[in-house]
Coordinates of all heavy atoms in Angstrom, one line a residue:
M1 N 0.9 -1.1 0.0 CA 0.0 0.0 0.0 C 0.9 1.2 0.0 O 1.8 1.4 0.8 CB -0.9 0.0 1.2 CG -1.7 1.3 1.4 SD -2.6 1.4 2.9 CE -3.7 0.1 2.8
K2 N 0.6 2.2 -0.9 CA 1.4 3.4 -1.0 C 0.7 4.5 -0.2 O -0.5 4.7 -0.3 CB 1.6 3.8 -2.4 CG 2.4 5.0 -2.6 CD 2.6 5.3 -4.1 CE 3.1 6.6 -4.4 NZ 4.3 7.0 -4.0
V3 N 1.5 5.2 0.6 CA 0.9 6.3 1.4 C 1.8 7.5 1.1 O 3.0 7.4 0.8 CB 0.9 6.0 2.9 CG1 -0.1 4.9 3.2 CG2 2.2 5.7 3.4
D4 N 1.3 8.7 1.3 CA 2.1 9.9 1.2 C 3.0 10.0 2.4 O 3.0 9.3 3.3 CB 1.2 11.1 0.9 CG 0.3 11.4 2.1 OD1 0.8 11.3 3.3 OD2 -0.8 11.9 1.9
N5 N 3.9 11.0 2.3 CA 5.0 11.2 3.3 C 4.5 11.6 4.6 O 5.2 11.5 5.6 CB 6.0 12.1 2.8 CG 6.8 11.6 1.7 OD1 7.0 10.4 1.5 ND2 7.4 12.5 0.8
D6 N 3.3 12.1 4.7 CA 2.7 12.6 6.0 C 1.9 11.5 6.7 O 1.2 11.8 7.7 CB 1.9 13.8 5.8 CG 2.7 15.0 5.3 OD1 3.9 15.1 5.6 OD2 2.2 15.9 4.5
S7 N 1.7 10.4 6.1 CA 0.9 9.3 6.6 C 1.6 8.1 6.9 O 2.7 7.8 6.4 CB -0.3 9.0 5.6 OG -1.0 10.2 5.4
V8 N 1.0 7.2 7.7 CA 1.5 5.9 7.9 C 0.4 4.9 7.7 O -0.8 5.2 7.9 CB 2.1 5.7 9.4 CG1 3.3 6.5 9.6 CG2 1.1 5.9 10.4
C9 N 0.7 3.7 7.4 CA -0.3 2.6 7.3 C -0.8 2.2 8.6 O 0.0 2.3 9.6 CB 0.3 1.4 6.6 SG 0.7 1.7 4.8
A10 N -2.0 1.9 8.8 CA -2.5 1.5 10.1 C -1.8 0.3 10.7 O -1.6 0.2 11.9 CB -4.0 1.2 9.9
T11 N -1.3 -0.6 9.8 CA -0.6 -1.8 10.3 C 0.7 -1.4 11.0 O 1.2 -2.1 11.9 CB -0.3 -2.8 9.2 OG1 0.4 -2.2 8.1 CG2 -1.6 -3.4 8.7
E12 N 1.3 -0.3 10.5 CA 2.6 0.2 11.1 C 2.4 0.7 12.5 O 3.4 0.8 13.3 CB 3.2 1.3 10.3 CG 3.6 0.8 8.9 CD 4.2 2.0 8.1 OE1 4.2 3.1 8.5 OE2 4.6 1.6 6.9
M13 N 1.2 1.0 13.0 CA 0.9 1.5 14.3 C 0.5 0.3 15.3 O 0.5 0.6 16.5 CB -0.2 2.5 14.3 CG 0.2 3.8 13.5 SD -1.0 5.1 13.7 CE -2.4 4.4 12.8
L14 N 0.3 -0.9 14.8 CA 0.0 -2.0 15.6 C 1.2 -2.4 16.5 O 2.3 -2.6 15.9 CB -0.5 -3.2 14.8 CG -1.8 -3.0 14.1 CD1 -2.1 -4.3 13.3 CD2 -2.9 -2.9 15.2
P15 N 1.1 -2.6 17.8 CA 2.2 -3.0 18.6 C 2.4 -4.5 18.3 O 1.5 -5.3 18.0 CB 1.7 -2.8 20.0 CG 0.2 -2.8 19.9 CD -0.1 -2.3 18.6
V16 N 3.7 -4.9 18.3 CA 4.0 -6.3 18.0 C 4.7 -6.9 19.2 O 5.1 -6.1 20.1 CB 5.0 -6.5 16.8 CG1 4.3 -6.0 15.5 CG2 6.3 -5.7 17.0
P17 N 4.7 -8.2 19.4 CA 5.4 -8.8 20.5 C 6.9 -8.4 20.6 O 7.5 -8.0 19.5 CB 5.3 -10.3 20.2 CG 4.1 -10.4 19.3 CD 4.1 -9.2 18.5
R18 N 7.5 -8.5 21.7 CA 8.9 -8.2 21.9 C 9.7 -9.2 21.0 O 9.5 -10.4 20.9 CB 9.4 -8.4 23.3 CG 8.9 -7.4 24.3 CD 9.3 -7.7 25.7 NE 10.2 -8.9 25.9 CZ 11.4 -8.9 26.4 NH1 11.9 -7.7 26.8 NH2 12.1 -10.0 26.6
A19 N 10.6 -8.6 20.2 CA 11.4 -9.4 19.3 C 12.2 -10.5 20.0 O 12.3 -11.6 19.5 CB 12.4 -8.5 18.5
A20 N 12.6 -10.3 21.2 CA 13.4 -11.2 22.0 C 12.5 -12.5 22.3 O 13.0 -13.5 22.6 CB 13.9 -10.7 23.3
D21 N 11.2 -12.3 22.3 CA 10.3 -13.4 22.6 C 9.8 -14.2 21.4 O 9.0 -15.1 21.5 CB 9.0 -12.9 23.3 CG 9.4 -12.2 24.7 OD1 10.4 -12.6 25.2 OD2 8.6 -11.4 25.1
L22 N 10.3 -13.8 20.2 CA 9.8 -14.4 18.9 C 10.9 -15.4 18.4 O 12.0 -15.3 18.7 CB 9.6 -13.4 17.9 CG 8.6 -12.3 18.2 CD1 8.5 -11.2 17.1 CD2 7.2 -12.9 18.3
G23 N 10.3 -16.4 17.6 CA 11.2 -17.3 16.9 C 11.9 -16.6 15.7 O 11.5 -15.6 15.3
A24 N 12.9 -17.3 15.2 CA 13.7 -16.7 14.1 C 12.8 -16.5 12.9 O 13.0 -15.5 12.2 CB 14.9 -17.7 13.8
E25 N 11.9 -17.4 12.6 CA 11.1 -17.2 11.4 C 10.1 -16.0 11.5 O 9.9 -15.3 10.5 CB 10.2 -18.5 11.1 CG 11.0 -19.7 10.5 CD 10.1 -20.8 10.2 OE1 9.0 -20.9 10.7 OE2 10.6 -21.6 9.3
Q26 N 9.7 -15.8 12.7 CA 8.8 -14.6 12.9 C 9.6 -13.3 12.8 O 9.1 -12.4 12.2 CB 8.2 -14.7 14.3 CG 7.1 -15.8 14.4 CD 6.7 -16.0 15.9 OE1 7.5 -16.3 16.7 NE2 5.4 -15.8 16.1
V27 N 10.8 -13.3 13.3 CA 11.7 -12.1 13.2 C 12.1 -11.9 11.7 O 12.1 -10.8 11.3 CB 12.9 -12.3 14.1 CG1 13.9 -11.1 13.8 CG2 12.6 -12.3 15.6
D28 N 12.3 -12.9 11.0 CA 12.7 -12.8 9.6 C 11.5 -12.5 8.7 O 11.8 -12.3 7.5 CB 13.4 -14.1 9.2 CG 14.8 -14.3 9.8 OD1 15.3 -13.3 10.3 OD2 15.2 -15.4 9.9
G29 N 10.3 -12.6 9.2 CA 9.2 -12.3 8.3 C 8.6 -13.5 7.6 O 7.7 -13.4 6.7
A30 N 9.1 -14.7 7.9 CA 8.7 -15.9 7.2 C 7.5 -16.5 7.9 O 6.8 -17.4 7.3 CB 9.8 -16.9 7.2
A31 N 7.1 -16.0 9.1 CA 6.0 -16.5 9.8 C 5.3 -15.3 10.5 O 5.9 -14.3 10.8 CB 6.4 -17.5 10.8
C32 N 4.0 -15.4 10.7 CA 3.2 -14.3 11.3 C 3.8 -14.0 12.7 O 4.1 -14.9 13.5 CB 1.7 -14.8 11.5 SG 0.7 -13.6 12.4
V33 N 4.0 -12.8 13.0 CA 4.6 -12.3 14.2 C 3.8 -12.7 15.4 O 4.3 -12.8 16.5 CB 4.9 -10.8 14.1 CG1 3.6 -10.0 14.3 CG2 5.9 -10.4 15.1
W34 N 2.5 -12.9 15.3 CA 1.6 -13.2 16.4 C 1.4 -14.7 16.5 O 1.5 -15.3 17.6 CB 0.3 -12.5 16.3 CG 0.4 -11.1 16.7 CD1 0.7 -10.5 17.9 CD2 0.3 -10.0 15.8 NE1 0.7 -9.1 17.8 CE2 0.5 -8.8 16.5 CE3 0.1 -9.9 14.4 CZ2 0.5 -7.5 15.9 CZ3 0.0 -8.6 13.8 CH2 0.3 -7.4 14.6
C35 N 1.0 -15.4 15.4 CA 0.6 -16.8 15.6 C 1.6 -17.8 14.9 O 1.5 -19.0 15.2 CB -0.8 -17.0 14.9 SG -0.8 -16.9 13.1
G36 N 2.5 -17.3 14.1 CA 3.5 -18.2 13.5 C 3.1 -18.9 12.2 O 3.8 -19.6 11.6
K37 N 1.8 -18.6 11.8 CA 1.4 -19.2 10.5 C 2.0 -18.4 9.3 O 2.6 -17.4 9.5 CB -0.1 -19.2 10.4 CG -0.8 -20.1 11.5 CD -2.3 -20.0 11.4 CE -2.9 -20.9 12.4 NZ -4.4 -20.8 12.5
A38 N 1.6 -18.8 8.1 CA 2.1 -18.2 6.9 C 1.6 -16.7 6.9 O 0.4 -16.5 7.0 CB 1.7 -18.9 5.7
P39 N 2.5 -15.8 6.7 CA 2.1 -14.3 6.7 C 1.5 -13.9 5.3 O 1.9 -14.5 4.3 CB 3.4 -13.6 7.0 CG 4.4 -14.5 6.4 CD 4.0 -15.9 6.6
D40 N 0.7 -12.9 5.3 CA 0.1 -12.3 4.1 C 0.5 -10.8 4.0 O 0.4 -10.3 2.9 CB -1.4 -12.4 4.2 CG -2.0 -13.8 4.4 OD1 -1.6 -14.6 3.7 OD2 -2.8 -13.9 5.3
I41 N 0.7 -10.2 5.1 CA 0.9 -8.7 5.1 C 2.1 -8.3 5.8 O 2.4 -8.8 6.9 CB -0.4 -8.1 5.9 CG1 -1.7 -8.6 5.3 CG2 -0.3 -6.6 5.9 CD1 -2.8 -8.2 6.2
G42 N 2.8 -7.4 5.2 CA 3.9 -6.7 5.9 C 3.4 -5.6 6.8 O 2.4 -4.9 6.4
I43 N 3.9 -5.5 8.0 CA 3.3 -4.6 9.0 C 4.2 -3.5 9.4 O 4.0 -2.8 10.3 CB 2.7 -5.3 10.2 CG1 3.8 -6.2 10.9 CG2 1.5 -6.1 9.8 CD1 3.3 -6.8 12.2
G44 N 5.2 -3.2 8.5 CA 6.0 -2.1 8.7 C 7.3 -2.3 9.5 O 7.5 -3.2 10.3
L45 N 8.3 -1.5 9.1 CA 9.6 -1.6 9.7 C 9.6 -1.3 11.2 O 8.9 -0.4 11.7 CB 10.5 -0.5 9.0 CG 11.9 -0.4 9.5 CD1 12.7 -1.6 9.1 CD2 12.6 0.9 9.0
R46 N 10.4 -2.2 11.9 CA 10.5 -2.0 13.4 C 11.9 -1.9 13.7 O 12.8 -2.4 13.0 CB 9.8 -3.1 14.1 CG 8.4 -3.5 13.7 CD 7.5 -2.2 14.0 NE 6.2 -2.4 13.3 CZ 5.1 -2.5 13.9 NH1 5.0 -2.6 15.2 NH2 4.0 -2.6 13.1
I47 N 12.2 -1.4 14.9 CA 13.6 -1.3 15.4 C 13.6 -1.9 16.8 O 12.8 -1.5 17.6 CB 14.2 0.1 15.4 CG1 14.2 0.7 14.0 CG2 15.5 0.2 16.0 CD1 14.6 2.1 13.9
S48 N 14.4 -2.9 17.0 CA 14.4 -3.6 18.3 C 15.9 -4.0 18.6 O 16.8 -4.0 17.7 CB 13.6 -4.8 18.3 OG 12.3 -4.6 18.0
V49 N 16.1 -4.3 19.9 CA 17.4 -4.7 20.3 C 17.4 -6.3 20.3 O 16.5 -6.9 20.9 CB 17.7 -4.2 21.8 CG1 19.0 -4.9 22.3 CG2 17.8 -2.7 21.8
F50 N 18.3 -6.8 19.6 CA 18.5 -8.3 19.5 C 19.8 -8.6 20.0 O 20.9 -8.1 19.5 CB 18.4 -8.8 18.0 CG 17.1 -8.7 17.4 CD1 16.7 -7.5 16.7 CD2 16.2 -9.8 17.4 CE1 15.5 -7.4 16.1 CE2 15.0 -9.6 16.8 CZ 14.7 -8.5 16.1
T51 N 19.9 -9.4 21.1 CA 21.2 -9.8 21.7 C 22.2 -8.7 21.9 O 23.3 -8.8 21.5 CB 21.8 -11.0 20.9 OG1 22.1 -10.6 19.6 CG2 20.9 -12.2 20.9
G52 N 21.7 -7.6 22.4 CA 22.5 -6.4 22.7 C 22.8 -5.5 21.5 O 23.5 -4.6 21.6
T53 N 22.2 -5.8 20.3 CA 22.5 -5.0 19.1 C 21.2 -4.4 18.6 O 20.2 -5.1 18.4 CB 23.1 -5.9 18.0 OG1 24.3 -6.5 18.5 CG2 23.5 -5.0 16.8
L54 N 21.2 -3.1 18.3 CA 20.0 -2.5 17.7 C 19.9 -2.9 16.2 O 20.9 -2.9 15.5 CB 20.2 -1.0 17.7 CG 18.9 -0.1 17.4 CD1 17.8 -0.4 18.4 CD2 19.3 1.4 17.5
R55 N 18.7 -3.4 15.8 CA 18.5 -4.0 14.5 C 17.2 -3.6 13.9 O 16.2 -3.5 14.7 CB 18.6 -5.5 14.6 CG 18.4 -6.2 13.3 CD 18.7 -7.7 13.6 NE 17.9 -8.5 12.5 CZ 17.6 -9.8 12.6 NH1 18.1 -10.5 13.6 NH2 16.9 -10.3 11.7
R56 N 17.1 -3.3 12.6 CA 15.9 -3.1 11.9 C 15.3 -4.5 11.5 O 16.1 -5.3 11.1 CB 16.1 -2.2 10.7 CG 16.4 -0.8 11.1 CD 16.5 0.1 9.9 NE 17.6 -0.3 9.1 CZ 17.9 0.2 7.9 NH1 17.1 1.0 7.3 NH2 19.0 -0.1 7.3
W57 N 14.0 -4.7 11.5 CA 13.4 -5.8 11.0 C 12.0 -5.5 10.5 O 11.4 -4.5 10.7 CB 13.3 -6.9 12.1 CG 12.6 -6.6 13.4 CD1 12.8 -5.5 14.3 CD2 11.4 -7.2 14.0 NE1 12.0 -5.6 15.3 CE2 11.1 -6.6 15.2 CE3 10.7 -8.4 13.5 CZ2 10.0 -7.0 15.9 CZ3 9.7 -8.8 14.3 CH2 9.3 -8.1 15.5
L58 N 11.5 -6.4 9.6 CA 10.2 -6.2 8.9 C 9.3 -7.4 9.2 O 9.2 -8.4 8.5 CB 10.5 -6.2 7.4 CG 11.2 -4.9 6.9 CD1 11.6 -5.1 5.5 CD2 10.2 -3.8 7.0
P59 N 8.6 -7.3 10.3 CA 7.6 -8.3 10.7 C 6.5 -8.4 9.7 O 6.1 -7.4 9.0 CB 7.1 -7.9 12.1 CG 7.3 -6.4 12.1 CD 8.5 -6.1 11.3
R60 N 6.0 -9.6 9.6 CA 4.8 -9.9 8.7 C 3.7 -10.6 9.5 O 4.1 -11.1 10.6 CB 5.2 -10.7 7.5 CG 6.2 -10.0 6.6 CD 6.7 -10.8 5.4 NE 5.6 -11.4 4.7 CZ 4.9 -10.9 3.7 NH1 5.1 -9.6 3.4 NH2 4.0 -11.6 3.1
A61 N 2.5 -10.5 9.0 CA 1.4 -11.2 9.8 C 0.4 -11.7 8.9 O 0.3 -11.4 7.7 CB 0.8 -10.1 10.7
C62 N -0.5 -12.6 9.4 CA -1.6 -13.1 8.6 C -2.8 -12.1 8.8 O -2.9 -11.4 9.7 CB -2.0 -14.6 9.1 SG -2.6 -14.7 10.8
H63 N -3.7 -12.2 7.8 CA -4.9 -11.3 7.9 C -5.7 -11.5 9.2 O -6.2 -10.5 9.7 CB -5.8 -11.6 6.7 CG -5.4 -10.9 5.4 ND1 -4.5 -11.4 4.5 CD2 -5.8 -9.7 4.9 CE1 -4.3 -10.6 3.5 NE2 -5.1 -9.5 3.8
A64 N -5.8 -12.7 9.6 CA -6.7 -12.9 10.8 C -6.0 -12.2 12.0 O -6.8 -11.6 12.8 CB -6.8 -14.4 11.1
C65 N -4.7 -12.3 12.2 CA -4.1 -11.7 13.4 C -4.1 -10.2 13.2 O -4.3 -9.5 14.2 CB -2.7 -12.2 13.5 SG -2.5 -13.9 14.2
V66 N -3.9 -9.6 12.0 CA -3.9 -8.2 11.9 C -5.3 -7.7 12.2 O -5.4 -6.7 13.0 CB -3.6 -7.8 10.4 CG1 -3.9 -6.3 10.1 CG2 -2.1 -8.0 10.1
G67 N -6.4 -8.4 11.8 CA -7.7 -8.0 12.2 C -8.0 -8.0 13.6 O -8.5 -7.1 14.2
S68 N -7.6 -9.1 14.3 CA -7.9 -9.2 15.7 C -7.0 -8.2 16.5 O -7.5 -7.7 17.5 CB -7.6 -10.6 16.2 OG -6.3 -11.0 16.1
Q69 N -5.8 -7.9 16.1 CA -5.0 -7.0 16.8 C -5.5 -5.6 16.6 O -5.5 -4.8 17.5 CB -3.5 -7.0 16.3 CG -2.8 -8.3 16.8 CD -2.7 -8.4 18.3 OE1 -2.4 -7.5 19.0 NE2 -3.1 -9.6 18.8
A70 N -6.0 -5.3 15.4 CA -6.6 -3.9 15.1 C -7.8 -3.7 16.0 O -8.0 -2.6 16.6 CB -6.9 -3.8 13.7
V71 N -8.7 -4.7 16.1 CA -9.8 -4.6 17.0 C -9.4 -4.4 18.4 O -10.0 -3.6 19.2 CB -10.7 -5.9 16.9 CG1 -11.8 -6.0 17.9 CG2 -11.4 -5.9 15.5
R72 N -8.4 -5.2 18.9 CA -8.0 -5.1 20.3 C -7.5 -3.6 20.6 O -7.8 -3.0 21.6 CB -6.9 -6.1 20.5 CG -6.3 -6.1 22.0 CD -5.2 -7.0 22.1 NE -4.0 -6.6 21.4 CZ -3.1 -5.6 21.9 NH1 -3.4 -5.1 23.0 NH2 -2.1 -5.3 21.2
V73 N -6.6 -3.1 19.7 CA -6.1 -1.8 19.9 C -7.2 -0.7 19.8 O -7.2 0.2 20.6 CB -5.0 -1.5 18.8 CG1 -4.6 0.0 18.8 CG2 -3.8 -2.4 19.1
Y74 N -8.2 -0.9 18.9 CA -9.3 0.1 18.8 C -10.1 0.1 20.1 O -10.4 1.1 20.6 CB -10.1 -0.3 17.6 CG -11.4 0.5 17.5 CD1 -11.3 1.8 17.1 CD2 -12.6 0.0 17.8 CE1 -12.5 2.6 17.0 CE2 -13.8 0.8 17.7 CZ -13.7 2.1 17.3 OH -14.8 2.8 17.2
R75 N -10.4 -1.1 20.6 CA -11.1 -1.2 21.8 C -10.4 -0.5 23.0 O -11.0 0.1 23.9 CB -11.5 -2.6 22.2 CG -12.6 -3.1 21.3 CD -13.0 -4.5 21.6 NE -14.1 -5.0 20.7 CZ -14.3 -6.3 20.4 NH1 -13.5 -7.2 20.9 NH2 -15.3 -6.6 19.6
L76 N -9.1 -0.8 23.1 CA -8.3 -0.1 24.1 C -8.3 1.4 24.0 O -8.5 2.1 25.0 CB -6.8 -0.6 24.1 CG -6.5 -1.9 24.6 CD1 -5.1 -2.4 24.2 CD2 -6.7 -2.0 26.1
H77 N -8.2 1.9 22.8 CA -8.2 3.3 22.5 C -9.6 3.9 23.0 O -9.6 4.9 23.7 CB -7.9 3.6 21.1 CG -8.1 5.1 20.8 ND1 -7.1 6.0 21.0 CD2 -9.1 5.8 20.3 CE1 -7.5 7.2 20.7 NE2 -8.7 7.1 20.2
I78 N -10.7 3.4 22.4 CA -11.9 4.0 22.7 C -12.3 4.0 24.2 O -13.2 4.7 24.7 CB -13.1 3.6 21.8 CG1 -13.4 2.1 22.0 CG2 -12.8 3.9 20.4 CD1 -14.6 1.6 21.3
S79 N -11.8 3.0 24.9 CA -12.1 2.9 26.4 C -11.2 3.8 27.2 O -11.5 4.1 28.4 CB -12.0 1.5 26.9 OG -10.7 1.1 26.8
S80 N -10.0 4.2 26.7 CA -9.1 5.0 27.5 C -8.9 6.5 27.0 O -8.4 7.3 27.7 CB -7.8 4.3 27.6 OG -7.2 4.2 26.3
C81 N -9.3 6.8 25.8 CA -9.1 8.1 25.2 C -10.2 9.0 25.9 O -11.4 8.7 25.9 CB -9.4 8.1 23.7 SG -9.4 9.7 22.9
A82 N -9.7 10.2 26.3 CA -10.7 11.1 27.0 C -11.8 11.5 26.1 O -13.0 11.7 26.6 CB -9.9 12.3 27.5
R83 N -11.5 11.8 24.8 CA -12.6 12.2 23.9 C -13.5 11.0 23.5 O -14.7 11.1 23.5 CB -12.0 12.9 22.7 CG -11.3 14.2 23.1 CD -10.8 14.9 21.9 NE -11.8 15.3 21.0 CZ -11.6 15.9 19.8 NH1 -10.4 16.1 19.4 NH2 -12.6 16.2 19.1
C84 N -12.9 9.9 23.1 CA -13.7 8.8 22.6 C -14.5 8.2 23.7 O -15.6 7.7 23.4 CB -12.7 7.7 22.0 SG -12.0 8.3 20.5
S85 N -14.0 8.1 25.0 CA -14.8 7.5 26.0 C -16.1 8.3 26.3 O -17.0 7.8 27.0 CB -14.0 7.3 27.2 OG -13.5 8.5 27.7
H86 N -16.1 9.6 25.9 CA -17.3 10.4 26.1 C -18.1 10.6 24.7 O -18.8 11.5 24.6 CB -16.9 11.8 26.7 CG -16.4 11.6 28.0 ND1 -15.1 11.5 28.3 CD2 -17.1 11.6 29.2 CE1 -14.9 11.3 29.6 NE2 -16.1 11.4 30.2
R87 N -17.8 9.7 23.8 CA -18.5 9.8 22.5 C -18.2 11.0 21.7 O -19.0 11.4 20.9 CB -19.9 9.5 22.6 CG -20.2 8.1 23.2 CD -21.6 7.6 22.8 NE -22.0 6.4 23.6 CZ -21.6 5.2 23.3 NH1 -20.9 5.0 22.3 NH2 -22.0 4.2 24.0
D88 N -17.1 11.7 22.0 CA -16.7 12.9 21.2 C -15.4 12.4 20.5 O -14.3 12.7 20.9 CB -16.4 14.0 22.2 CG -15.9 15.3 21.4 OD1 -16.3 15.4 20.2 OD2 -15.2 16.1 22.0
Y89 N -15.6 11.7 19.4 CA -14.6 11.0 18.7 C -13.4 11.8 18.3 O -13.6 12.9 17.8 CB -15.1 10.2 17.6 CG -16.1 9.2 18.0 CD1 -17.5 9.3 17.9 CD2 -15.7 8.0 18.6 CE1 -18.4 8.4 18.3 CE2 -16.6 7.0 19.1 CZ -17.9 7.3 19.0 OH -18.8 6.3 19.4
C90 N -12.2 11.3 18.5 CA -11.0 12.1 18.2 C -10.5 11.7 16.8 O -11.0 10.7 16.3 CB -9.9 11.7 19.2 SG -9.2 10.1 19.1
P91 N -9.6 12.4 16.2 CA -9.1 12.1 14.8 C -8.3 10.8 14.8 O -8.1 10.2 13.7 CB -8.2 13.3 14.5 CG -8.1 14.2 15.7 CD -9.0 13.6 16.7
D92 N -7.9 10.3 15.9 CA -7.1 9.0 15.9 C -8.0 7.9 15.6 O -7.7 6.8 15.1 CB -6.4 8.7 17.2 CG -5.3 9.7 17.5 OD1 -4.8 10.3 16.5 OD2 -4.9 9.8 18.7

């Protein structure tokens, strides 16, 4: 998906598990970062510390996990955002 320079893809904002807690295939993008199944979607560049070294990595995920994580993050947001929790929806 192409976005302009002022925007990010929604998948890039999803939090991912700690890289240190993932298997090699998940870190390398060969398996879904959440469930370990075959990935469908790149979810954006991340920077993490691996064995004491700062490293860039490109996690990937399956559609099912991206959907469930997006719903989880959305529910957290609307329950904790001062504007959204009062039904005065924010731009986020």
Side-chain angles (χ1 to χ4, degrees):
M1 173 189 295
K2 183 175 167 57
V3 294
D4 62 39
N5 291 335
D6 296 331
S7 301
V8 295
C9 293
T11 57
E12 293 176 357
M13 295 188 297
L14 291 175
V16 295
R18 288 176 5 118
D21 296 337
L22 300 174
E25 286 186 336
Q26 290 169 301
V27 171
D28 293 337
C32 174
V33 73
W34 287 290
C35 72
K37 294 180 182 175
D40 303 310
I41 305 168
I43 55 175
L45 179 70
R46 307 300 163 113
I47 299 174
S48 297
V49 175
F50 292 88
T51 60
T53 305
L54 191 62
R55 179 176 153 194
R56 290 186 290 171
W57 59 299
L58 289 166
R60 294 177 51 81
C62 65
H63 276 88
C65 285
V66 167
S68 65
Q69 290 299 314
V71 167
R72 184 184 68 80
V73 169
Y74 175 74
R75 286 183 179 151
L76 283 170
H77 175 82
I78 63 171
S79 67
S80 62
C81 172
R83 290 181 69 184
C84 290
S85 63
H86 292 92
R87 301 206 190 274
D88 181 23
Y89 297 103
C90 73
D92 291 339

